[in-house]
Amino acid sequence: MKYVFITGGVISSLGKGLTAAALGTLLENRGLKVALQKFDPYLNVDPGTMSPFQHGEVYVLDDGAETDLDLGHYERFTRTPLSRFNNLTSGQVYQSVLNKEREGKYLGKTVQVIPHVTDEIQERIRKISDTSDADVLITEIGGTTGDIEGLPFLEAIREFYLDVGPENVVFIHVTYVPFIKAAGELKTKPTQQSVAKLREIGIAPHLLVCRCEYPLDKELRRKISMFCNVPYEAVIEEKDVDHSIYEVPLMLERERLDELVCKYLHLDAQPAEMSEWQEIIRKLIAPQHRVRIGVVGKYIELQDAYKSVYEATIHGGVAHDCGVVFEKIEAEDIEKEGVDKMLQKLGGILVPGGFGERGTEGKVMAAQYARENGVPYLGLCLGMQIACIEFARNVLELEGAHSTEFDADTPHPVICLMDEQHKVTKKGGTMRLGSQPCNLKPGSKGEEIYGASEIQERHRHRYEFNTDYKERFEEAGLTFAGTSPDGGLMELIELNDHPFFMACQYHPEFKSKPDSAHPLFKAFIAAAHQSQHNKPIS
């Protein structure tokens, strides 16, 4: 196996994850098999207990692992299968090392960062190597070069490089070339300093991926090449894209990144076949149709909090050659301003998942507006629970109906804590997580959309629909189109007399790709585009 290690410098949020995913796309389209993994230096065991404001969304894998959102990029951009072994945090590393120490596995030795912590990190690299048939493993190191918490990871990959040999490893450093407006020019000094810091640690990058707002001219490339000790051709421009993150692979292909990686790793691979990817970009840049989708949430100001939701909705648009214009609506603003002012001119309304009471009533109002006015509605996880609360209050006339998550004393707990969750005291990794089976009701819209009677979808929740109310809901016109195999958990609902009103307890956004939109998002965009409420977009 060959290895690519991607580090970052100067500032965080440079796009190392997108760079790794885009490189994976290019190598796959050259006929190579690719594996990807992410190392995160923070001490949390996983991001499952972290606020979206701190970390963005938590991305859930089939095996139930709560992981970094960059793994979402990996799955959307490539065909690589991912598991909990593809995301490693400092918390996991130290937890494993301390467990081994308590078990006496170090035979009385003094446990130290070097070699015990760095060995643990290298063991994770080798685990992917031993269990994967991939030709290339791309490993992204989170954080910024120079951060104290990231040093063990950098030391580990430095040692790994010496162990497997220089012909088998490429180091890519993603850095920042800022534009100083007052001077009217790009500055290379932050990149020089970042590479110098990396070289102090003992790693000399083979390739520099330079994030920038404006193109790098030949003089700047020569300067970076000379002062950072890399060949001129190894200075890769990664300019801010104009339309979509899915342009990044094509941009890096023009810069010959994949060609250089193959050259340094001595891989004989055909040129990347990117025609399908180019057609996706065409549909994103110049779609035949457009639709306006309102996303009603509580973390609306933070793009990464609903990253997979936005991407899956865009994928649904790609499937219909339809551009998606998002109206990002803060749920609390609906409570203050009213639904008529906030939700007009929308082709569809989407309520994503979330936790906590803030904004709940605004989401309920959005679901009611969609139901009563025939606006296509898609609810995800909490979005399904919200739809059930609204239906109970306004159709079944169950005054005070709510979820026990938000009102423990509600007279009508239509949403309640799952039975197996009552004795759970720890927060991390204890929800219903990962891929679970779901049976679809014969003749339902859900079965029609999926084209199957049994599906697998990823979950992340503690609360469920209270089946004591199931019969009353069905009599009033709501269909439970999907259930767990034993029929005990309600997974997918739909309204019978509505153009498109569907909501699911699971997270379909985690299984959508730009070239293979998830069936629910594909159907939602089709309904939203055809809706009489979808006003022309200039």
Side-chain angles (χ1 to χ4, degrees):
M1 182 178 280
K2 304 291 187 176
Y3 303 90
V4 177
F5 294 106
I6 298 181
T7 58
V10 186
I11 57 174
S12 60
S13 300
L14 277 179
K16 296 188 300 297
L18 274 174
T19 302
L23 177 59
T25 300
L26 293 170
L27 294 179
E28 277 194 348
N29 283 280
R30 279 177 167 264
L32 298 168
K33 287 188 177 181
V34 175
L36 293 104
Q37 66 180 170
K38 172 75 181 291
F39 290 166
D40 280 307
Y42 51 73
L43 281 173
N44 303 66
V45 173
D46 59 47
T49 58
M50 296 168 72
S51 164
F53 291 107
Q54 286 276 312
H55 190 265
E57 77 172 2
V58 175
Y59 190 82
V60 180
L61 303 178
D62 278 341
D63 65 358
E66 295 175 290
T67 69
D68 183 81
L69 60 82
D70 279 322
L71 274 77
H73 294 316
Y74 301 166
E75 284 203 327
R76 285 187 284 271
F77 278 69
T78 72
R79 293 180 290 275
T80 180
L82 299 178
S83 73
R84 63 183 65 253
F85 299 116
N86 296 83
N87 193 194
L88 180 69
T89 68
S90 289
Q92 293 173 26
V93 172
Y94 285 105
Q95 187 178 61
S96 179
V97 168
L98 293 174
N99 287 341
K100 289 178 180 178
E101 185 274 330
R102 292 290 84 186
E103 294 166 7
K105 291 187 176 180
Y106 294 121
L107 303 176
K109 293 179 181 178
T110 301
V111 181
Q112 297 175 290
V113 173
I114 302 171
H116 301 101
V117 169
T118 53
D119 283 352
E120 190 73 27
I121 295 168
Q122 291 179 66
E123 187 177 307
R124 180 60 65 88
I125 301 171
R126 292 191 175 90
K127 186 172 187 67
I128 301 296
S129 302
D130 295 341
T131 58
S132 172
D133 62 349
D135 302 301
V136 181
L137 171 60
I138 301 172
T139 302
E140 175 194 350
I141 313 299
T144 306
T145 297
D147 291 347
I148 190 169
E149 62 265 28
L151 293 177
F153 289 94
L154 296 176
E155 172 61 20
I157 63 174
R158 185 194 70 81
E159 295 173 10
F160 189 85
Y161 169 77
L162 296 176
D163 186 44
V164 300
E167 70 279 4
N168 294 314
V169 175
V170 164
F171 289 114
I172 298 176
H173 191 56
V174 182
T175 184
Y176 183 47
V177 182
F179 179 77
I180 306 301
K181 189 174 180 179
E185 60 182 349
L186 293 164
K187 291 293 186 180
T188 66
K189 189 63 71 176
T191 293
Q192 296 175 42
Q193 295 292 332
S194 177
V195 171
K197 175 62 70 174
L198 194 61
R199 293 174 70 185
E200 281 178 21
I201 297 166
I203 296 173
H206 299 92
L207 299 162
L208 294 180
V209 174
C210 301
R211 281 298 308 276
C212 50
E213 297 175 64
Y214 297 93
L216 302 178
D217 59 30
K218 291 182 179 179
E219 182 181 345
L220 274 172
R221 291 187 191 234
R222 277 194 290 266
K223 187 175 182 181
I224 292 171
S225 168
M226 180 174 65
F227 285 105
C228 296
N229 200 37
V230 298
Y232 177 85
E233 64 176 5
V235 179
I236 308 296
E237 177 187 289
E238 192 175 47
K239 193 169 74 70
D240 294 351
V241 292
D242 296 322
H243 302 281
S244 167
I245 58 173
Y246 300 111
E247 296 176 70
V248 176
L250 298 177
M251 176 172 59
L252 293 180
E253 182 191 30
R254 290 192 295 270
E255 290 287 304
R256 300 175 54 232
L257 175 65
D258 56 319
E259 181 184 330
L260 291 167
V261 167
C262 289
K263 173 185 172 183
Y264 290 147
L265 292 177
H266 309 285
L267 288 167
D268 184 16
Q270 63 193 22
E273 170 48 59
M274 300 298 290
S275 57
E276 185 178 358
W277 207 265
Q278 288 167 345
E279 178 60 11
I280 291 170
I281 300 304
R282 198 279 303 164
K283 291 178 179 178
L284 289 168
I285 294 175
Q288 297 296 309
H289 315 284
R290 291 190 183 274
V291 64
R292 194 187 307 273
I293 300 296
V295 179
V296 181
K298 62 181 289 186
Y299 314 112
I300 251 358
E301 69 269 34
L302 187 65
Q303 172 77 13
D304 283 349
Y306 303 118
K307 185 66 178 173
S308 292
V309 173
Y310 292 132
E311 295 306 315
T313 308
I314 290 169
H315 303 163
V318 169
H320 296 288
D321 207 346
C322 184
V324 177
V325 176
F326 289 106
E327 294 286 343
K328 300 176 182 179
I329 301 164
E330 181 65 55
E332 287 181 298
D333 290 344
I334 295 178
E335 298 171 19
K336 299 171 187 175
E337 304 290 339
V339 291
D340 290 333
K341 180 177 180 180
M342 301 297 297
L343 302 180
Q344 289 182 356
K345 300 180 180 179
L346 297 175
I349 294 172
L350 191 156
V351 177
F355 300 90
E357 186 177 3
R358 182 172 65 85
T360 299
E361 293 305 317
K363 295 175 185 178
V364 170
M365 292 166 70
Q368 180 180 4
Y369 180 88
R371 179 181 59 80
E372 293 180 345
N373 292 279
V375 181
Y377 176 91
L378 181 60
L380 311 176
C381 196
L382 178 61
M384 171 178 150
Q385 297 173 8
I386 290 293
C388 292
I389 293 167
E390 188 280 319
F391 195 85
R393 290 180 184 178
N394 300 310
V395 178
L396 301 182
E397 298 181 345
L398 301 178
E399 186 176 350
H402 220 315
S403 166
T404 55
E405 179 183 4
F406 310 126
D407 182 1
D409 300 318
T410 173
H412 295 290
V414 293
I415 305 296
C416 59
L417 192 66
M418 299 174 68
D419 291 341
E420 57 266 36
Q421 290 286 324
H422 284 285
K423 295 181 181 180
V424 172
T425 56
K426 293 183 179 180
K427 298 296 185 184
T430 56
M431 287 185 274
R432 186 178 185 228
L433 291 165
S435 185
Q436 306 285 344
C438 173
N439 292 346
L440 298 177
K441 185 175 182 178
S444 66
K445 184 176 289 186
E447 185 189 48
E448 177 188 347
I449 288 171
Y450 276 94
S453 58
E454 298 179 8
I455 57 173
Q456 290 275 342
E457 292 283 4
R458 299 180 189 178
H459 294 66
R460 186 175 185 254
H461 63 103
R462 297 184 194 278
Y463 291 81
E464 273 278 0
F465 177 80
N466 186 344
T467 53
D468 291 345
Y469 292 88
K470 181 174 182 286
E471 188 174 331
R472 276 184 274 185
F473 271 69
E474 290 177 325
E475 289 173 353
L478 187 144
T479 297
F480 293 94
T483 66
S484 58
D486 64 2
L489 300 176
M490 303 301 106
E491 299 276 29
L492 178 67
I493 65 171
E494 59 188 53
L495 281 182
N496 301 338
D497 299 320
H498 194 283
F500 186 99
F501 193 103
M502 303 191 74
C504 52
Q505 186 56 70
Y506 46 83
H507 288 272
E509 67 270 23
F510 294 149
K511 296 185 72 173
S512 187
K513 294 176 182 287
D515 59 349
S516 180
H518 188 283
L520 280 181
F521 284 92
K522 187 176 178 180
F524 173 57
I525 292 299
H529 175 248
Q530 295 165 8
S531 172
Q532 61 178 343
H533 300 277
N534 184 40
K535 302 303 180 185
I537 300 170
S538 58

